[in-house]
């Protein structure tokens, strides 16, 4: 496993319930500020295998990025079950729910 992939997995695993991170934020904190799409691929291919809380990852605007209605509805349902509230525009307040995983990375 590549070091970047391992760091991404670690960051995502430690996103606490009721908090979110963005794809770009995860990429930057894992060492590749331009690696948001790579984070998407890692989530897509390794979420089940590593039991990742994939639903806690959103885009830079605080929106659910999934295009299919079923997946997007499931993600919203899981987030709301953790107490995350969506604004009227369908976004999540990054100021309120964004998680800073820097302490997780510094422990390495």
């Amino acid at each position: 496993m590549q070091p970047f992939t391992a760091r991404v997995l670690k960051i995502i695993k430690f996103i606490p319930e009721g908090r979110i991170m963005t794809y770009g934020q995860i990429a930057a904190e894992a060492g590749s500020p331009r690696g948001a799409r790579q984070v998407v691929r890692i989530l897509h291919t390794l979420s089940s295998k590593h039991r990742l809380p994939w639903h806690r990852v959103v885009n830079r605007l605080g929106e659910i990025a999934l295009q299919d209605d079923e997946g997007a509805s499931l993600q919203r349902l899981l987030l709301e079950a953790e107490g995350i509230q969506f604004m009227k525009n369908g976004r999540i307040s990054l100021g309120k729910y964004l998680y800073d995983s820097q302490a997780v990375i510094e422990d390495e």
Side-chain angles (χ1 to χ4, degrees):
M1 180 180 298
Q2 295 294 320
F4 175 76
T5 301
R7 287 191 298 272
V8 166
L9 292 175
K10 183 175 182 181
I11 291 167
I12 295 170
K13 283 181 184 179
F14 282 95
I15 302 172
E17 186 174 313
R19 303 300 293 275
I20 57 168
M21 290 185 75
T22 68
Y23 299 102
Q25 176 191 11
I26 293 167
E29 291 187 18
S32 181
R34 299 186 63 127
R37 288 189 180 184
Q38 197 170 353
V39 172
V40 171
R41 284 191 287 278
I42 291 167
L43 273 171
H44 180 72
T45 58
L46 299 176
S47 283
S48 294
K49 180 178 180 181
H50 292 275
R51 306 181 102 177
L52 299 176
W54 60 271
H55 61 284
R56 297 180 186 147
V57 183
V58 298
N59 73 17
R60 65 183 178 86
L61 301 174
E63 299 169 333
I64 291 174
L66 295 175
Q67 298 300 312
D68 70 285
D69 289 336
E70 187 175 326
S73 294
L74 175 60
Q75 185 173 7
R76 183 176 178 127
L77 183 69
L78 292 169
L79 290 170
E80 288 175 335
E82 293 183 0
I84 293 177
Q85 297 176 343
F86 285 76
M87 297 182 288
K88 289 181 182 177
N89 62 6
R91 294 179 179 171
I92 299 167
S93 170
L94 297 178
K96 185 173 182 179
Y97 296 106
L98 198 64
Y99 176 65
D100 178 8
S101 73
Q102 206 55 46
V104 172
I105 298 302
E106 291 172 359
D107 286 343
E108 289 186 341

